[in-house]
Amino acid sequence: MRCLEAVIVNAIKAVEGERTSSSVYHLLKGKKSAQTIQDAHLYRLTKWFHTAPFLTLSSFETMMNGLIKKAYITGDLQRPFVTQEGVEKMNRLFQQTGSFNELSGWHFSGAASVFFSRMQLLVQVASHLAYSDSSYYPVTRDDRILEWVKRYLTYMPCSKKELSPRLYGELDCLFQQLQERPECIVIRFSGHKQTGKTIAQAAERLEMEETEYWFRFLHALHSMIKHITESGPRTPLLQAVLMDIHDPLTLTISARQTADYLKKTMTIDQIAASRRLKKATIEDHIVELALNDPSFSIRPFIEEEKEAAVIEAARRVSNRQLKPLKEKLPDHSYFQIRLVLAKESGKSV
């Protein structure tokens, strides 16, 4: 089993019986829809959000059909279920790779690619400055990255002569804290008389299956971002690289519009009629609001006693799937259960 297949099995297991396989595809791709954002939180899959942006629908479906053929998944693309053999195979794979516990697509996917591109170019520049060599081609042709590094070199808190040793010191400090091998990052760097490897080349050099390398690289990168944001003054050069690119996911435009209607004290039915949308769509927006806005009150939609009952039932159920919770809470609607779970999930984000 490839690492990406194990990730897919993990996500299918979390949502099985309640979502189609396409919901997992959209989650891995990082689709910014109300449903996908809610799924990521309600099924505790925020780790994997937007961690496979390279996936195409056809390649995903081919992978799913392969997992079905190998009997790791049963059913079809509309109602997939993970078999015991699939669970065991997934667990063995994650025993080898680790659980990627510092991976956080939800928090860092918006910043990670830009951060790495800046860091790649900055390392290349620092290396050539150290050798007083200006005859090289930049590792990127992205004008935004090139312009950013030019500005950075103008305003950075050290001289150009100091850049290389200070940047090395900060990176070395971070690498010592990584759960992954530093080579997962370093092998991608270019420098004086050294060309960084592509993803495929890095995987081959490190003797890893390609998607395993990808997730290890992403895990290391997210871990670096996490430590930089928490390190205070210890990594000033890298904090400056990250400073303006943290991109927390925000509400969808449609959810914002529903929020405006709610401020007018309109009911769900009134909003649905006014906006010519289904009642379920407005409920999705309200769940999204509960997920993203700490100040949003769910009290108009569920009483305190019922909210407490959902929280208690969720503690007793090993996963966040809605069907088992609904069976324990027959007097609650699915909307009310989702709403409470969203509010609780939002507190931990």
Side-chain angles (χ1 to χ4, degrees):
M1 179 179 282
R2 299 168 65 202
C3 190
L4 179 54
E5 290 174 325
V7 170
I8 291 171
V9 168
N10 179 272
I12 293 291
K13 182 63 180 173
V15 305
E16 63 182 357
E18 298 187 0
R19 294 287 186 271
T20 65
S21 64
S22 63
S23 69
V24 170
Y25 167 73
H26 291 312
L27 185 137
L28 293 174
K29 286 284 286 186
K31 183 178 181 181
K32 295 182 181 180
S33 68
Q35 187 64 67
T36 302
I37 292 169
Q38 290 167 36
D39 286 349
H41 286 82
L42 294 180
Y43 296 103
R44 298 179 179 178
L45 294 170
T46 52
K47 171 193 294 189
W48 306 119
F49 187 86
H50 201 202
T51 54
F54 51 82
L55 261 184
T56 64
L57 183 58
S58 61
S59 65
F60 175 79
E61 290 181 347
T62 298
M63 216 172 297
M64 280 293 299
N65 287 324
L67 291 168
I68 292 171
K69 188 175 181 179
K70 294 173 183 174
Y72 299 150
I73 288 177
T74 188
D76 54 32
L77 298 183
Q78 290 301 307
R79 285 182 62 82
F81 292 84
V82 179
T83 64
Q84 184 59 36
E85 186 178 359
V87 170
E88 291 171 359
K89 199 77 174 178
M90 173 191 71
N91 288 338
R92 283 199 293 272
L93 189 285
F94 286 143
Q95 284 173 2
Q96 296 172 10
T97 64
S99 59
F100 303 113
N101 62 303
E102 289 193 311
L103 189 69
S104 182
W106 173 258
H107 286 106
F108 300 137
S109 64
S113 62
V114 178
F115 171 71
F116 184 68
S117 293
R118 288 179 176 182
M119 187 168 59
Q120 266 189 314
L121 182 55
L122 192 60
V123 166
Q124 183 189 32
V125 169
S127 174
H128 283 85
L129 282 173
Y131 286 92
S132 302
D133 180 5
S134 59
S135 59
Y136 61 92
Y137 292 102
V139 292
T140 180
R141 294 183 180 180
D142 187 325
D143 289 338
R144 292 169 300 179
I145 302 297
L146 292 167
E147 286 301 318
W148 182 88
V149 169
K150 286 180 183 177
R151 291 196 302 273
Y152 182 92
L153 293 173
T154 301
Y155 299 108
M156 64 184 177
C158 68
S159 68
K160 290 183 179 181
K161 186 176 181 181
E162 296 174 312
L163 177 60
S164 182
R166 287 186 59 175
L167 184 59
Y168 175 86
E170 289 189 19
L171 287 170
D172 184 56
C173 177
L174 285 174
F175 289 154
Q176 291 182 36
Q177 300 176 67
L178 294 184
Q179 296 175 16
E180 301 292 347
R181 294 160 57 184
E183 291 91 336
C184 289
I185 298 290
V186 175
I187 200 169
R188 303 284 303 280
F189 288 156
S190 294
H192 183 69
K193 295 184 178 180
Q194 178 176 318
T195 303
K197 305 299 182 187
T198 64
I199 291 171
Q201 290 169 340
E204 183 178 5
R205 177 67 64 87
L206 297 176
E207 298 181 335
M208 295 180 190
E209 180 267 317
E210 193 167 322
T211 67
E212 177 186 343
Y213 168 74
W214 167 255
F215 281 102
R216 286 186 181 277
F217 162 74
L218 209 58
H219 185 217
L221 190 58
H222 287 191
S223 180
M224 287 180 71
I225 293 173
K226 176 177 179 288
H227 288 299
I228 290 168
T229 58
E230 295 173 353
S231 65
R234 288 177 293 169
T235 55
L237 293 177
L238 290 171
Q239 282 192 342
V241 176
L242 188 61
M243 185 183 300
D244 62 332
I245 54 174
H246 181 56
D247 182 26
L249 292 167
T250 54
L251 293 170
T252 58
I253 293 173
S254 195
R256 289 181 185 278
Q257 292 171 346
T258 291
D260 291 336
Y261 281 94
L262 288 171
K263 290 174 183 176
K264 299 174 184 177
T265 67
M266 294 175 68
T267 67
I268 292 175
D269 288 330
Q270 288 171 334
I271 297 171
S274 180
R275 297 194 62 195
R276 297 180 181 179
L277 295 172
K278 293 179 180 179
K279 179 181 178 180
T281 301
I282 304 303
E283 290 178 344
D284 281 346
H285 295 161
I286 293 170
V287 171
E288 188 181 344
L289 288 164
L291 199 55
N292 287 279
D293 183 357
S295 66
F296 183 78
S297 173
I298 64 174
R299 195 59 63 236
F301 313 103
I302 185 170
E303 300 89 349
E304 188 174 351
E305 295 78 10
K306 278 194 163 186
E307 178 185 2
V310 175
I311 294 171
E312 180 59 28
R315 286 198 188 107
R316 295 180 179 180
V317 176
S318 60
N319 57 48
R320 286 295 183 97
Q321 290 186 340
L322 298 178
K323 189 175 179 180
L325 287 173
K326 183 68 173 74
E327 290 173 353
K328 291 181 178 296
L329 301 163
D331 295 332
H332 291 62
S333 67
Y334 273 106
F335 166 60
Q336 289 175 321
I337 296 171
R338 289 169 56 221
L339 188 60
V340 174
L341 294 178
K343 190 65 176 176
E344 291 299 298
S345 295
K347 291 176 182 177
S348 62
V349 174

Coordinates of all heavy atoms in Angstrom, one line a residue, residues 41-72:
H41 N -13.5 19.1 9.9 CA -13.6 19.3 11.3 C -14.5 18.2 12.0 O -14.0 17.6 13.0 CB -14.2 20.7 11.6 CG -13.2 21.8 11.4 ND1 -13.0 22.3 10.2 CD2 -12.4 22.4 12.3 CE1 -12.1 23.2 10.3 NE2 -11.7 23.3 11.5
L42 N -15.6 17.9 11.5 CA -16.5 17.0 12.1 C -16.0 15.6 12.2 O -16.2 14.9 13.2 CB -17.9 17.0 11.4 CG -18.7 18.3 11.5 CD1 -20.0 18.2 10.8 CD2 -18.9 18.7 13.0
Y43 N -15.2 15.2 11.2 CA -14.6 13.9 11.1 C -13.2 13.8 11.5 O -12.5 12.9 11.3 CB -14.8 13.2 9.7 CG -16.3 13.1 9.4 CD1 -16.9 13.9 8.5 CD2 -17.0 12.0 10.0 CE1 -18.3 13.8 8.2 CE2 -18.4 11.9 9.7 CZ -19.0 12.7 8.8 OH -20.3 12.6 8.5
R44 N -12.7 14.9 12.1 CA -11.3 15.1 12.6 C -10.3 14.7 11.5 O -9.4 13.9 11.7 CB -11.2 14.2 13.8 CG -12.1 14.6 15.0 CD -11.9 13.7 16.2 NE -12.8 14.1 17.3 CZ -12.8 13.5 18.4 NH1 -12.1 12.4 18.7 NH2 -13.6 13.9 19.4
L45 N -10.5 15.3 10.4 CA -9.6 15.1 9.2 C -8.8 16.4 8.8 O -8.3 16.5 7.7 CB -10.4 14.6 8.0 CG -11.0 13.2 8.2 CD1 -12.0 12.8 7.1 CD2 -9.9 12.1 8.3
T46 N -8.8 17.4 9.7 CA -8.1 18.6 9.4 C -6.7 18.4 9.0 O -6.1 19.2 8.3 CB -8.2 19.6 10.6 OG1 -7.8 19.0 11.8 CG2 -9.7 20.1 10.8
K47 N -6.0 17.4 9.6 CA -4.6 17.1 9.3 C -4.4 17.0 7.8 O -3.4 17.4 7.2 CB -4.2 15.8 10.0 CG -2.9 15.3 9.6 CD -2.7 13.8 10.0 CE -2.6 13.7 11.5 NZ -2.2 12.3 12.0
W48 N -5.4 16.3 7.1 CA -5.2 15.9 5.7 C -5.7 17.0 4.7 O -5.5 16.8 3.5 CB -5.9 14.6 5.4 CG -5.5 13.5 6.3 CD1 -6.3 12.8 7.2 CD2 -4.2 12.9 6.5 NE1 -5.6 11.8 7.8 CE2 -4.3 11.8 7.4 CE3 -2.9 13.1 5.9 CZ2 -3.2 11.0 7.8 CZ3 -1.8 12.4 6.3 CH2 -2.0 11.3 7.2
F49 N -6.4 18.0 5.2 CA -7.0 19.0 4.4 C -5.9 19.7 3.5 O -4.9 20.2 3.9 CB -7.7 20.1 5.2 CG -8.5 21.1 4.4 CD1 -9.8 20.8 4.0 CD2 -7.9 22.3 4.0 CE1 -10.5 21.7 3.3 CE2 -8.6 23.2 3.2 CZ -9.9 22.9 2.9
H50 N -6.2 19.6 2.1 CA -5.3 20.2 1.1 C -3.9 19.7 1.2 O -2.9 20.4 0.9 CB -5.3 21.7 1.3 CG -4.8 22.5 0.1 ND1 -4.3 23.7 0.1 CD2 -4.8 22.1 -1.2 CE1 -4.0 24.1 -1.1 NE2 -4.3 23.1 -2.0
T51 N -3.7 18.4 1.5 CA -2.4 17.8 1.5 C -2.0 17.1 0.2 O -0.9 16.6 0.1 CB -2.2 16.9 2.7 OG1 -3.2 15.9 2.7 CG2 -2.2 17.7 4.0
A52 N -3.0 17.0 -0.7 CA -2.7 16.3 -2.0 C -3.2 17.1 -3.1 O -4.1 16.7 -3.9 CB -3.3 14.9 -2.0
P53 N -2.7 18.4 -3.2 CA -3.3 19.3 -4.3 C -3.0 18.8 -5.7 O -3.7 19.2 -6.6 CB -2.5 20.6 -4.0 CG -1.3 20.2 -3.3 CD -1.7 19.0 -2.5
F54 N -2.1 17.8 -5.9 CA -1.7 17.3 -7.2 C -2.7 16.3 -7.7 O -2.7 15.9 -8.8 CB -0.3 16.7 -7.1 CG -0.2 15.7 -6.0 CD1 -0.7 14.4 -6.1 CD2 0.4 16.1 -4.7 CE1 -0.6 13.5 -5.0 CE2 0.5 15.2 -3.7 CZ 0.0 13.9 -3.8
L55 N -3.6 15.8 -6.8 CA -4.6 14.8 -7.2 C -5.5 15.3 -8.3 O -6.0 16.4 -8.3 CB -5.4 14.4 -6.0 CG -5.0 13.1 -5.2 CD1 -6.1 12.8 -4.1 CD2 -4.9 11.9 -6.1
T56 N -5.8 14.4 -9.3 CA -6.9 14.6 -10.2 C -8.0 13.7 -9.9 O -7.8 12.6 -9.3 CB -6.4 14.4 -11.7 OG1 -6.1 13.0 -11.8 CG2 -5.2 15.3 -12.0
L57 N -9.2 14.0 -10.3 CA -10.3 13.1 -10.0 C -10.1 11.8 -10.7 O -10.5 10.7 -10.0 CB -11.6 13.8 -10.5 CG -12.9 13.0 -10.2 CD1 -13.1 12.8 -8.7 CD2 -14.1 13.7 -10.8
S58 N -9.6 11.7 -11.9 CA -9.4 10.4 -12.5 C -8.4 9.6 -11.8 O -8.6 8.4 -11.6 CB -9.0 10.6 -14.0 OG -7.8 11.3 -14.1
S59 N -7.3 10.2 -11.4 CA -6.3 9.4 -10.6 C -6.8 9.0 -9.3 O -6.5 7.9 -8.8 CB -5.0 10.2 -10.5 OG -5.2 11.4 -9.6
F60 N -7.6 9.8 -8.6 CA -8.2 9.4 -7.4 C -9.1 8.2 -7.6 O -9.1 7.2 -6.8 CB -9.0 10.6 -6.8 CG -9.7 10.2 -5.5 CD1 -9.1 10.1 -4.3 CD2 -11.1 10.0 -5.5 CE1 -9.7 9.8 -3.1 CE2 -11.8 9.7 -4.4 CZ -11.1 9.6 -3.2
E61 N -10.0 8.3 -8.6 CA -10.9 7.2 -8.8 C -10.2 5.9 -9.2 O -10.6 4.8 -8.8 CB -11.9 7.6 -9.9 CG -12.9 8.7 -9.4 CD -13.9 9.1 -10.5 OE1 -13.7 8.7 -11.7 OE2 -14.9 9.7 -10.1
T62 N -9.1 6.0 -10.0 CA -8.3 4.8 -10.3 C -7.7 4.2 -9.0 O -7.7 3.0 -8.8 CB -7.2 5.2 -11.2 OG1 -7.7 5.7 -12.5 CG2 -6.2 4.1 -11.5
M63 N -7.3 5.1 -8.1 CA -6.7 4.6 -6.8 C -7.8 3.9 -6.0 O -7.6 2.9 -5.4 CB -6.1 5.8 -6.1 CG -4.9 5.4 -5.3 SD -4.0 6.9 -4.6 CE -3.6 7.7 -6.1
M64 N -9.0 4.5 -6.0 CA -10.1 3.9 -5.2 C -10.5 2.6 -5.8 O -10.7 1.6 -5.0 CB -11.3 4.9 -5.3 CG -11.3 6.1 -4.3 SD -11.4 5.5 -2.6 CE -13.0 4.7 -2.5
N65 N -10.6 2.5 -7.1 CA -10.9 1.2 -7.7 C -9.9 0.2 -7.5 O -10.2 -1.0 -7.3 CB -11.1 1.4 -9.2 CG -12.4 2.1 -9.6 OD1 -13.4 1.9 -8.9 ND2 -12.4 3.0 -10.6
G66 N -8.6 0.6 -7.4 CA -7.5 -0.3 -7.0 C -7.6 -0.8 -5.6 O -7.4 -2.0 -5.3
L67 N -8.0 0.0 -4.7 CA -8.2 -0.4 -3.3 C -9.4 -1.3 -3.2 O -9.4 -2.3 -2.4 CB -8.5 0.9 -2.4 CG -7.2 1.8 -2.2 CD1 -7.7 3.1 -1.6 CD2 -6.2 1.1 -1.4
I68 N -10.4 -1.1 -4.0 CA -11.6 -2.0 -4.0 C -11.2 -3.4 -4.5 O -11.5 -4.4 -4.0 CB -12.7 -1.4 -4.8 CG1 -13.3 -0.2 -4.1 CG2 -13.9 -2.5 -5.0 CD1 -14.3 0.6 -4.9
K69 N -10.4 -3.4 -5.6 CA -9.9 -4.6 -6.2 C -9.1 -5.4 -5.3 O -9.1 -6.7 -5.3 CB -9.2 -4.3 -7.5 CG -8.8 -5.5 -8.3 CD -8.2 -5.1 -9.7 CE -7.8 -6.3 -10.5 NZ -7.2 -5.9 -11.8
K70 N -8.3 -4.7 -4.5 CA -7.4 -5.4 -3.5 C -8.1 -5.8 -2.2 O -7.5 -6.4 -1.3 CB -6.2 -4.5 -3.1 CG -5.3 -4.3 -4.3 CD -4.2 -3.2 -3.9 CE -3.3 -2.9 -5.0 NZ -2.4 -1.8 -4.7
A71 N -9.4 -5.5 -2.2 CA -10.3 -5.8 -1.0 C -9.9 -5.0 0.2 O -10.2 -5.5 1.3 CB -10.3 -7.3 -0.7
Y72 N -9.3 -3.9 0.1 CA -9.0 -3.0 1.2 C -10.2 -2.1 1.5 O -10.4 -1.6 2.6 CB -7.8 -2.1 0.9 CG -6.5 -2.9 0.7 CD1 -5.5 -2.3 -0.1 CD2 -6.3 -4.1 1.3 CE1 -4.3 -3.0 -0.3 CE2 -5.1 -4.8 1.1 CZ -4.1 -4.3 0.3 OH -2.9 -4.9 0.1

